[in-house]
Amino acid sequence: MVKVHGVGNGLLENGIEATVNEIVKVVEKARKKNVRVAVTSLLRRPAYNKEYERLHKEVNRDLHEMILIMKAESIRKREVGSSFLDIDELIQARCFLGDGVHLTQEGETKLSQRFIRWIRATHLLMEGRMD
């Protein structure tokens, strides 16, 4: 299992398409090795401007769509799939340090707990114990 945490570094400079393509490349490499992948949405950045907020939402929408397409393809081929974990609403402004970019302990805990839930659900699904 691999978790790909979408990072917004360079989003303003590189744009939506390049950011999504870089993340998708990582997912495709992992899938070729038959590894289950969870992609988290890009985090908001309270310290950044409204343009970043607009772009990060578009990246998350496009990433979600790409991962759904990959998941459907995996199901069709009976291969290991990928998941999209939307953490945008989970991580609120209070979960960021004063720099508005890095997470507080509360933010890290919420992110970790969400990933652990994904691991457990994936494990149960792989064992056929999930209805």
Side-chain angles (χ1 to χ4, degrees):
M1 289 183 200
V2 173
K3 179 185 96 161
V4 179
H5 182 61
V7 179
N9 298 345
L11 175 58
L12 293 171
E13 296 81 16
N14 299 329
I16 296 166
E17 187 175 347
T19 302
V20 170
N21 287 342
E22 283 302 311
I23 296 169
V24 168
K25 276 189 221 174
V26 172
V27 174
E28 287 174 341
K29 283 182 184 178
R31 286 182 62 215
K32 285 180 183 174
K33 295 180 187 233
N34 203 31
V35 174
R36 188 170 297 276
V37 181
V39 177
T40 62
S41 56
L42 259 63
L43 287 172
R44 64 175 49 98
R45 292 202 173 165
Y48 282 40
N49 59 29
K50 290 189 187 295
E51 180 63 6
Y52 177 88
E53 289 302 307
R54 183 186 69 77
L55 291 175
H56 111 273
K57 286 178 183 178
E58 288 187 43
V59 165
N60 286 341
R61 182 199 63 222
D62 291 355
L63 264 178
H64 193 186
E65 183 178 306
M66 291 298 296
I67 298 303
L68 283 174
I69 290 168
M70 293 169 118
K71 185 178 208 101
E73 180 183 322
S74 296
I75 291 169
R76 186 175 55 78
K77 293 180 177 180
R78 298 186 182 271
E79 296 175 346
V80 171
S82 306
S83 300
F84 181 79
L85 306 179
D86 189 352
I87 57 171
D88 213 27
E89 296 302 317
L90 178 69
I91 308 296
Q92 301 297 316
R94 72 175 184 277
C95 295
F96 287 89
L97 293 173
D99 65 5
V101 174
H102 298 97
L103 295 176
T104 62
Q105 184 62 49
E106 177 187 5
E108 291 286 348
T109 298
K110 285 183 174 193
L111 185 60
S112 298
Q113 288 172 342
R114 177 62 184 97
F115 187 55
I116 289 167
R117 283 195 310 274
W118 177 79
I119 291 171
R120 286 182 181 146
T122 300
H123 181 69
L124 292 174
L125 183 66
M126 290 171 68
E127 289 184 349
R129 291 193 286 162
M130 216 168 169
D131 299 317

